[in-house]
Amino acid sequence: MHDGLKTMNPDVRRSVHVSASRAAAATVVLALAVAAMAGEPEVPSPTPVRLDYLTLANGAVPVSVSGDGAMLGASYSQAIRIVDGNPSGFVLTTKPGAESLSTEFLYELPALTTFDRFAVPNVLETPSPGTTFVRDLRIEGSSTGAASGFVTLASTTLQTYSARGEHTEILPTLQMPVRWVKLVLGGGISVLQPNSFFEFSEIIGNGRQESPGLLQRFTGSWKGRGVKVSLEQAGAVVAGCYDSDGTLSGTVSGNLLRALGVSRGTGVESSFILTVLEDGGLFGVRSSNGAPFAMYTGAASDVGPTCAQPSTPALGCGAIIHGIQFDFDSATIRSDSGPVLDALSAGLSKEPRQLIVIEGHTSSEGGEDYNRSLSERRANAVVQDLVSRGIAATRLSAAGLGESRPIATNDDENGRSLNRRVEVQCR
């Protein structure tokens, strides 16, 4: 245990507060250049920030919301906020409840994951007698299914901090590979009246995850409240249309599709992070015109949007790619990036333009110079891979642009994961 860290609960091996200055030193950056989801970030530090497997942007998909809180307004919207990578606090329910209030949030991960650390940031009280931060936290996991096999991985009793920027670290009492994670939240740190609103921030989960397989469900049409979309998938590449006149394209990593779209009529741009559930429903988030990401869900439908049918999915000049993944703290491309690189190589081999620039881009976390260097090294790795697939080296060059050209917000992990990308420019 580091000096100055205080044990929070004897039932947990270590549950500690980390000060803002210590966290800033230890949490240097997520400096992914062209990885989207599965490669852990590289940072100029002997203790790099580890990948948070409990974010929607890394494939943690809400399955259900239950318990007392569900009857008082806790919903999938709150389930998404718990795993959006934004440490800001929010109210769990739309109606106040008793101190004994308990709410369960169940998530499915894209592959078996073994956690060796959990954390909750910004355990802070709102200065109101009617609002309190959640007190009791229990994390359960199962490898067998969403309805069985759950065992307790970690638990703690939270206490408030004196300042923002701190977090409570919770080391699990049991480390085992799990596919489903249940977060059980109950009680309040300071309950001053019979019924209160209960706040939470986010759950962070670090460890190691098996390589997820490529989800092949992104072909079809879906409709829901504010949702009209048709998609066509070819390997790791997806094209589609949405609303009345929007067209989109993107790539799949594991269980997630990251796609960018634009309305032909208004020019308004949208960003999507989506998955297709086992029941065929579409689930994810969407941001339009730079607005915060909001839940985007729909049921499978025989009738798609009135826009044009999806074009044939393909990668080539002008492509924006989120599906190239790297080893932890490395510019080594992971083998599960093969489908994306196969599609890119096939598209570029048919491209008549001779000069191809592979651009690497990062999120804003970390030092600007380091991000630029990392993005260039990873862009060079993509160039070398394309050469090995038959694209002439004389046609290819690499450029590392770091964090200089974001295409989404850097305020949460949804946006940051979209900013970590490769772009293909041809001349």
Side-chain angles (χ1 to χ4, degrees), residues 47 81 100 180 196 204 213 275 311 325 330 333 336 340-341 422:
T47 55
R81 292 199 64 177
S100 59
W180 290 266
S196 299
I204 298 168
T275 191
S311 58
Q325 307 165 48
S330 169
I333 299 174
D336 46 5
V340 176
L341 290 163
V422 159

Side-chain angles (χ1 to χ4, degrees), residues 276-310:
V276 179
L277 307 175
E278 287 189 2
D279 64 5
L282 188 74
F283 186 94
V285 292
R286 172 184 175 180
S287 169
S288 294
N289 205 27
F293 283 90
M295 189 166 64
Y296 191 77
T297 64
S301 173
D302 294 332
V303 181
T306 57
C307 56
Q309 290 300 307

Side-chain angles (χ1 to χ4, degrees), residues 83-290:
V83 292
D84 68 357
N86 186 329
S88 300
F90 65 95
V91 176
L92 283 172
T93 61
T94 58
K95 299 177 182 179
E99 195 276 338
S100 59
L101 177 76
S102 177
T103 312
E104 298 181 1
F105 296 90
L106 178 61
Y107 300 89
E108 182 176 359
L109 308 179
L112 287 172
T113 306
T114 303
F115 293 98
D116 57 40
R117 175 185 181 270
F118 299 101
V120 178
N122 286 331
V123 183
L124 299 167
E125 292 280 41
T126 297
S128 166
T131 305
T132 180
F133 203 93
V134 165
R135 181 189 66 222
D136 301 320
L137 179 151
R138 186 171 75 253
I139 303 164
E140 301 178 359
S142 170
S143 61
T144 59
S148 63
F150 283 91
V151 295
T152 297
L153 304 178
S155 63
T156 193
T157 300
L158 297 171
Q159 298 180 14
T160 54
Y161 312 142
S162 59
R164 291 187 176 276
E166 298 180 342
H167 64 276
T168 296
E169 183 179 82
I170 312 155
L171 298 189
T173 55
L174 177 64
Q175 294 188 29
M176 59 174 282
V178 298
R179 185 74 185 273
W180 290 266
V181 172
K182 184 186 296 182
L183 183 67
V184 184
L185 305 176
I189 293 175
S190 59
V191 179
L192 302 178
Q193 59 186 42
N195 289 291
S196 299
F197 290 97
F198 294 85
E199 293 183 319
F200 194 67
S201 54
E202 70 164 321
I203 184 69
I204 298 168
N206 306 126
R208 59 188 183 276
Q209 185 176 87
E210 296 182 6
S211 180
L214 188 71
L215 192 66
Q216 298 278 0
R217 301 176 185 157
F218 296 99
T219 295
S221 296
W222 294 265
K223 292 183 69 176
R225 186 174 181 180
V227 176
K228 292 181 180 180
V229 61
S230 289
L231 303 173
E232 181 179 336
Q233 180 176 7
V237 189
V238 174
C241 59
Y242 62 97
D243 296 346
S244 61
D245 64 350
T247 58
L248 64 81
S249 61
T251 49
V252 180
S253 296
N255 64 337
L256 294 181
L257 164 67
R258 288 180 177 79
L260 304 175
V262 61
S263 166
R264 295 191 301 273
T266 65
V268 171
E269 298 178 343
S270 293
S271 303
F272 303 83
I273 300 177
L274 305 171
T275 191
V276 179
L277 307 175
E278 287 189 2
D279 64 5
L282 188 74
F283 186 94
V285 292
R286 172 184 175 180
S287 169
S288 294
N289 205 27

